[in-house]
Amino acid sequence: MNQTQTLSADTAAPRRAGLSLEGLHGTVRLPAPTARPWRQYLAFFGPGLLVSVGYMDPGNWATDLQGGAQFKYALLWVVALSSLMAIILQILSARLGLVTGKDLAQCCRDFLPSWTRWPNYLSCEFAIAACDLAEVLGSAVALHLLFPRLSLLAAVCVTALDVLLLLSLQRLGMRMIEALILVLVATIAGCYFVEIFFLEDTTPAFGQMAGALVSPNIAGFFGNKDMMFVAIGIIGATVMPHNLYLHSALVQSRRLVRDEASLNRAIRYNNLDTTVALIVAFFVNAAILVLAATVFYGHDKVTLGSGQVVSFNADSDWIQVAYLTLAPLLGTAAASALFAVALLASGQSSTITGTLAGQVVMEGFMDWKIKPWVRRLITRLCAIAPAILFIAWRGDKSVNDLLTLSQVVLAMQLPLAMFPLLVFASSKKRMGAHPAGGALLAAGWSASIVITALDLCGLPGALHNAWGILAGK
């Protein structure tokens, strides 16, 4: 037996307490270092895809749709910037997990003062519940589109059963689930691509798009509270705090030999995996915003190919009429069905990663271990309760408002995850010979400061809008 085989066996053998996602830890074999690059990339491919699903969940769709419908391309630079910041922070998260052998929650528990454990844990749980609220509402809208006779309130209640779906799907294996979700997301992305580049009625103004990206109106942005509220929602939907905890655990599913060369290889391929997956997520989010701007901005109605006229206004629930962005390509019925299937797939795939993130947070901070289905049920009930109360009180016309509000909650929790990550990733004491480089750290600190500054600047407006949403104003 050669040295690589011996080390691999030693690395895979232990199943001691304290491992991140113990059932997945060290379960994926890696090829020999001499294997061709594409084989090595495929072996490391996966954690980035799972994390990227959270960047294409119903919360992202809601904020992108609202941003495009209300402000045209003015927030496209926010989508691009938040995607870039997400790539940087997720690369740091993966690096932390690979080098230390601990996820971010475990590092916070072990390396920060003990009094921070409960506040950090509770804030993470609150953020995960807010994220799951987005999955509940997105899945409910999808079910309502697929089965119009099913009211939105009833659809929200049906989503409680997804714990059974999750258990049945897990038997197929994570690779099969990832493949299914990837096909569905690729399908909707392909439809958006065709609409943007090949259909005359929905081809955007590329010059205006480029101008909005390269030379955004920053002064106008900071002077518009509504725009800042949506922007914070976009950032919260894109740079998700629980993904920083999750990614640092998922990379440990590879059966890694812990020598210098192997760690360098793992870091390199995980950087590539993360970058590719999140670039795809950026294009999906940008396409949703651009098509919402093209179809909805400056209009009060859309005439479908069948002659049907669909009216809307600034207060419309954009996620419930978003299928209209596909209607020119597919026809109303097919567009509604495809959009609903993709939205349902987005919600359910995010459900899986949300459950895993909940396990990582609970086990990492508190060293509590419970069965995944129990964890899933608790999280889903915490999300369903406010959704049922809100819809019963306000009706089913404000789903997008509640989705956007949930993403603002995520953005507010981000600093509590970002700053410890940066401190640990830059520490030679924690990272040994593999601390993050100066350029990566500079980018990470810049991203964290920008996000925190936007949070602080937008907090008064966010609280005002949040109160307006909750009070029905």
Side-chain angles (χ1 to χ4, degrees), residues 38 61 77 114 154 165 169 202 207 253 260-261 265 277 297 302 350 354 359 373 379 401 407 410 423 425 439:
W38 66 267
W61 292 34
W77 70 274
S114 58
L165 176 64
L169 286 176
T202 53
S253 63
E260 295 298 310
R265 177 175 65 138
Y297 181 78
V302 168
S350 297
Q359 286 179 248
W373 71 268
T379 304
D401 285 340
Q407 305 311 301
L410 290 176
V423 170

Side-chain angles (χ1 to χ4, degrees), residues 60-70 192 288-289 292-293 296 318-320 322 325 339 400:
N60 290 85
W61 292 34
T63 53
D64 293 336
L65 287 164
Q66 187 172 1
Q70 292 186 357
Y192 280 139
I288 293 171
L289 184 145
F296 297 129
W318 299 113
I319 199 163
Q320 296 200 59
T325 59
F339 179 84
N400 207 89

Side-chain angles (χ1 to χ4, degrees), residues 340-425:
V341 168
L343 185 59
L344 185 62
S346 170
Q348 293 306 302
S349 57
S350 297
T351 283
I352 295 170
T353 57
T355 301
L356 294 175
Q359 286 179 248
V360 169
V361 166
M362 180 177 285
E363 294 174 5
F365 278 114
M366 310 307 295
D367 201 20
W368 295 341
K369 294 183 183 293
I370 60 176
K371 294 180 179 179
W373 71 268
V374 176
R375 168 74 219 186
R376 178 78 208 117
L377 189 60
I378 292 171
T379 304
R380 181 46 51 106
L381 289 176
C382 289
I384 282 180
I388 290 176
L389 291 173
F390 188 82
I391 293 173
W393 175 36
R394 290 278 309 277
D396 60 3
K397 301 301 182 184
S398 298
V399 172
N400 207 89
D401 285 340
L402 195 55
L403 276 169
T404 303
L405 179 60
S406 73
Q407 305 311 301
V408 172
V409 171
L410 290 176
M412 295 300 175
Q413 202 272 336
L414 257 175
L416 297 179
M418 292 185 302
F419 290 114
L421 171 62
L422 285 160
V423 170
F424 300 145

